[in-house]
Each structure stands twice: as C-alpha cells, then as structure tokens.
Amino acid sequence: MNTDLVLKNIAKHIQLTPTEQAHFVYLMKPRSLKRKEMLLQEGEVSRHSAFVTKGCLRSYTLDKNGYEHVLAFAPPDWWIADMYSFISQKPGTLYIEAMEPTEVLMLSKADQQQLYADIPKFERFFRIIVENAFVSSQQRLLDNLSLTAQERFRIFCQKYPSLVTTLPRKQIASYIGVTPEFFSKMMKTV
Amino acid sequence: MNTDLVLKNIAKHIQLTPTEQAHFVYLMKPRSLKRKEMLLQEGEVSRHSAFVTKGCLRSYTLDKNGYEHVLAFAPPDWWIADMYSFISQKPGTLYIEAMEPTEVLMLSKADQQQLYADIPKFERFFRIIVENAFVSSQQRLLDNLSLTAQERFRIFCQKYPSLVTTLPRKQIASYIGVTPEFFSKMMKTV
DNA sequence: CCTTTTTCTTAACCTAGGTTATTTTTTCCC
DNA sequence: GGGAAAAAATAACCTAGGTTAAGAAAAAGG
C-alpha cells in the first residue's frame, strides 16, 4: 500500500509528527478500480474523497442530451471528489470513473471531520488544497470565456503534459469544451 | 462602521467569543469606493481580501482584444479578492471595480495569517468559505460547457435575483459569457 | 491472435453566438 | 435640468464550433 505519495503530498503544506502520520495513514482506506469502474455515480452521496496513487480518474457530468462533460482528471498525486456532494452530504451530479486500472486511498467524510478535531493542522492542509483548486477552476472558467478552443488546448498541454499523450483525444476534447469531431478538425490546422 | 454583517457572516460557520470578535473587528479596515473606483488592477498584488457591506463590486479580466469578462459580482455579505494573487502574493490578472458607491471591510494577508495562528477557528471559517466558492465555480464551469446562453441566464436569475434588476445588462451578458448584442437579441425571443 | 468495442477521421451541412455599424434610450453628474 | 457619457437595441452579415453519418484505425480483452 503506497502511502508515501500521500504523505509527501501533505508534507508540501503541513508538518506531521510520526504519530500523526500513522494515525492519518490508518484512516486512508485503499481501493483498486478496474478500467471503466465507477467510484461514484450521479445521484449518489459522495461519502469519501479519494487520493490517486496509481492510474487515472476522471469526473464528468451527463447533460440532458446524454453528452459527457469532463470536469477534472486525477492522475497520481491528485485528490478528487464530487465536492458539492462531499461537503453537503447530499446526492451529487458527478460521475467519477477510472480511465485505466487505478489505485486510490479514500478518506471518509466522518474521518475527515474527526481529523479536523484531532489534528487541527489538517484544517489548514485542506484549506490550502481547496484554495488552489478554486484558483485553477476560476482560471479555467476565464479561459473558457475568453479563449478559442485552440488556445485552451495549448494551455491543457502545458498544464497536463503527461496526460496529452496518454488520454484518448475525445476526453481531452470534452475537457476543453469541444466535440471530438471538431477537435479532430482543429488538430489538422496546426 | 458596519461590522454586524461580517460578524453574522462568520457566525454562520464558527462561533467566536466577544474578545475574538473584537480582535477580528479590529483587523478589518473599512474603505469606501466611488462608482467605477478600482480596488485592484491587473499586475498588482492583492494584499487584502474584501468583505462588501454596501454597494457592489465586480471582478473581471481583459482579454487580448480588450474585451472584459466578468468573473464575479460581490453584493453585500460577499467576500472578494483576486484569489490567485492573494494566496501567492504575486501580481494578478484581475480588476476589481465598484459598480456603485461601495463600502468594504478589508483584511490584509498578513493579518489573516496572524488570525490563523491566534484563532485557529478562522482556518475552518475560510476553508468553508473557499469550499463553497469552489463548488460554485465548478458548477458554473459545467454550466458553461453544457448549457445554452438562455439557460445560463435563467440560472443567473435564480442565483442572483437582486442583481438581475439592478445591474446593467451588459454586465450580466459578460458574466454568462455572451456579447451585449447577442444578449439583447436573446431577450427578445423569450 | 482474433473479435469486439472504442476511438479517430473526414466531409457536408447547420446554428448559436460574434462582429460591425448605426440609432435610440437611459443614466450620470455638474 | 441639460449636456455628456454610457447602455441598449437593431440589423446585416460572419464564423467557430456543432451535427450527422459513415468508414478507418486502434485498443481491449478474452
């Protein structure tokens, strides 16, 4: 069980004693997912947030015409959840699916709350994580409002160089907000 | 100086003793802005986050063609900042401008950090604030990827009923991601 | 290694929304 | 209250990106 990665992830923002580390690791429940296996589906309550140690997850919604819209990719070293559902503990709108065989460590909402009470440093840790996620969500919003698909693709390449080569193109197309057909057309003109 | 509003805002998420309240209020520096006055401009470092007690602020970027894209509106009871710049203390990309005569209470980055150290409950408070902001930014992103301008406008009306009637239409158009000309065309067809 | 499924490409045609330009209406502010 | 500035409306024309359909290529998974 690979807990090194998550401890390093945490160490970027807060410092834990060995005892605290052990306690945290104890709360993280490992889970393996096969390709296409779902970690969460629309209508379910997100009772855990997941830290990816191997493989890759994606979160997406289905619109009323049945088209998927990718909200996020989570390669190793990333946290992912249906944040709305996780914080409200109400049914969410997101699907979270493994793009390939994937390993995650899951922290339950209850354990996270307990962790905030027991080790207040975690309150800081998750504040910082969410601050960064918020900034990058806002930036992506502005990019969608002000840039062409071409430019958004260029930014995607800079931000996720490793995913550009490994992910199916239709997934990238969905993330930057175009159809696979248009994405294909676009790639010819570069 | 209206500190009632901000104390109520805080009381929604954490409970402060009278002493803690007094200390917090002491750190909040009031500022008045005239219509069109700028609280922050592109290239500046956002050294404060602002809580609006009266009036209304907006944050926006300028794209390379000189068009504005509204990121957020902040009526009373809202916090606003260039989050990227505020957390990194590097030059940001946002403008923050008063839409009308506006009163804010400003909390400096340094005072916020000190507050985290002195009264750890504030770490929780701002975590919760940012979590909610993140969820709503993600939802708006998905709305932009999957809905028509018409539908986004309907959502805007639900979410900010008070702003629909008071804000210039071109500002709403910018927020939902269309030109004022198209917005005008759209409104005829309802 | 072979079959099934998924992904990618191409192409013709379509539309939501953008652009430019002009006029009308409203709001600001002295 | 009146002149200037900003906002809104209208209309003709334009384009980035969507839709539909169908075949080619590539992976997945036994």
Side-chain angles (χ1 to χ4, degrees):
Chain A
M1 173 169 144
N2 183 5
T3 54
D4 261 32
L5 196 60
V6 73
L7 289 174
K8 272 186 199 150
N9 183 275
I10 291 171
K12 285 177 201 162
H13 302 297
I14 56 170
Q15 284 178 10
L16 298 179
T17 66
T19 318
E20 289 166 343
Q21 289 193 2
H23 181 55
F24 173 73
V25 163
Y26 166 74
L27 298 177
M28 295 298 278
K29 306 302 178 198
R31 177 167 171 191
S32 296
L33 294 139
K34 293 180 207 146
R35 184 181 130 85
K36 300 220 164 186
E37 199 178 345
M38 291 284 184
L39 189 60
L40 189 72
Q41 291 193 251
E42 180 171 16
E44 295 177 356
V45 173
S46 180
R47 304 207 181 275
H48 300 82
S49 64
F51 177 84
V52 178
T53 58
K54 202 189 276 190
C56 188
L57 299 178
R58 65 189 260 255
S59 62
Y60 66 92
T61 45
L62 277 185
D63 68 25
K64 59 172 188 263
N65 304 314
Y67 290 109
E68 297 178 358
H69 300 274
V70 172
L71 180 60
F73 295 114
D77 208 27
W78 284 63
W79 291 86
I80 194 167
D82 179 333
M83 253 315 240
Y84 164 74
S85 175
F86 186 69
I87 71 180
S88 67
Q89 290 294 288
K90 293 183 197 162
T93 57
L94 296 184
Y95 295 81
I96 301 182
E97 183 203 53
M99 314 266 318
E100 54 188 279
T102 297
E103 317 258 313
V104 298
L105 296 170
M106 310 227 297
L107 179 63
S108 77
K109 172 84 175 173
D111 285 345
Q112 192 191 48
Q113 301 279 49
Q114 194 55 49
L115 209 52
Y116 289 153
D118 296 343
I119 311 173
K121 274 177 282 189
F122 274 98
E123 196 100 51
R124 167 164 306 191
F125 174 71
F126 285 106
R127 172 180 60 77
I128 293 170
I129 294 288
V130 179
E131 277 175 358
N132 291 332
F134 175 52
V135 165
S136 110
S137 168
Q138 282 201 144
Q139 188 54 55
R140 190 170 155 209
L141 222 189
L142 285 174
D143 290 348
N144 276 284
L145 292 173
S146 61
L147 304 179
T148 62
Q150 191 82 247
E151 293 168 316
R152 275 176 272 142
F153 177 59
R154 207 136 11 89
I155 288 171
F156 181 86
C157 293
Q158 286 164 17
K159 197 164 171 198
Y160 304 97
S162 69
L163 297 181
V164 178
T165 46
T166 56
L167 248 38
R169 290 182 158 198
K170 63 178 292 199
Q171 301 298 340
I172 300 176
S174 173
Y175 181 93
I176 68 172
V178 296
T179 59
E181 293 83 356
F182 180 75
F183 190 79
S184 196
K185 197 196 292 185
M186 193 180 87
M187 293 306 272
K188 282 199 304 183
T189 69
V190 182
Chain B
M1 175 171 143
N2 183 6
T3 54
D4 262 31
L5 196 61
V6 72
L7 289 174
K8 273 187 199 150
N9 184 275
I10 290 172
K12 285 177 201 162
H13 303 297
I14 57 170
Q15 284 178 10
L16 297 180
T17 66
T19 319
E20 289 167 343
Q21 288 193 2
H23 181 56
F24 173 73
V25 163
Y26 166 74
L27 297 177
M28 296 297 279
K29 306 300 177 200
R31 177 168 170 190
S32 296
L33 295 139
K34 292 180 208 147
R35 184 180 130 85
K36 301 219 167 186
E37 199 178 344
M38 292 284 184
L39 188 60
L40 189 73
Q41 292 194 249
E42 180 171 15
E44 293 177 357
V45 173
S46 181
R47 304 206 182 276
H48 299 82
S49 63
F51 177 85
V52 178
T53 57
K54 202 188 275 189
C56 188
L57 299 178
R58 66 190 258 254
S59 63
Y60 66 92
T61 45
L62 275 185
D63 69 24
K64 59 171 188 263
N65 305 314
Y67 290 109
E68 297 178 1
H69 300 273
V70 172
L71 181 59
F73 295 114
D77 208 27
W78 286 62
W79 291 87
I80 194 167
D82 179 333
M83 253 315 239
Y84 164 75
S85 175
F86 186 69
I87 71 180
S88 67
Q89 290 292 292
K90 292 181 196 163
T93 57
L94 296 184
Y95 295 81
I96 301 183
E97 184 203 53
M99 315 265 317
E100 52 187 281
T102 297
E103 316 259 312
V104 298
L105 296 170
M106 311 227 297
L107 179 64
S108 78
K109 171 86 174 171
D111 285 344
Q112 191 191 50
Q113 302 278 48
Q114 194 55 50
L115 209 52
Y116 289 153
D118 296 342
I119 313 174
K121 275 176 281 189
F122 273 100
E123 196 98 53
R124 167 162 307 191
F125 173 71
F126 285 106
R127 172 180 60 77
I128 292 170
I129 293 288
V130 178
E131 277 176 359
N132 292 333
F134 176 51
V135 165
S136 109
S137 167
Q138 281 200 143
Q139 189 53 55
R140 189 170 157 208
L141 222 188
L142 285 173
D143 291 347
N144 275 286
L145 291 173
S146 62
L147 304 179
T148 62
Q150 192 83 246
E151 294 167 315
R152 274 176 272 142
F153 176 59
R154 207 136 12 89
I155 288 172
F156 181 85
C157 294
Q158 287 165 18
K159 199 165 169 194
Y160 305 95
S162 69
L163 296 181
V164 177
T165 46
T166 56
L167 247 40
R169 292 185 157 196
K170 64 179 291 197
Q171 300 299 339
I172 299 177
S174 173
Y175 181 93
I176 68 173
V178 296
T179 59
E181 293 83 357
F182 180 76
F183 190 79
S184 195
K185 198 194 294 185
M186 194 179 86
M187 292 305 272
K188 280 200 303 183
T189 71
V190 182

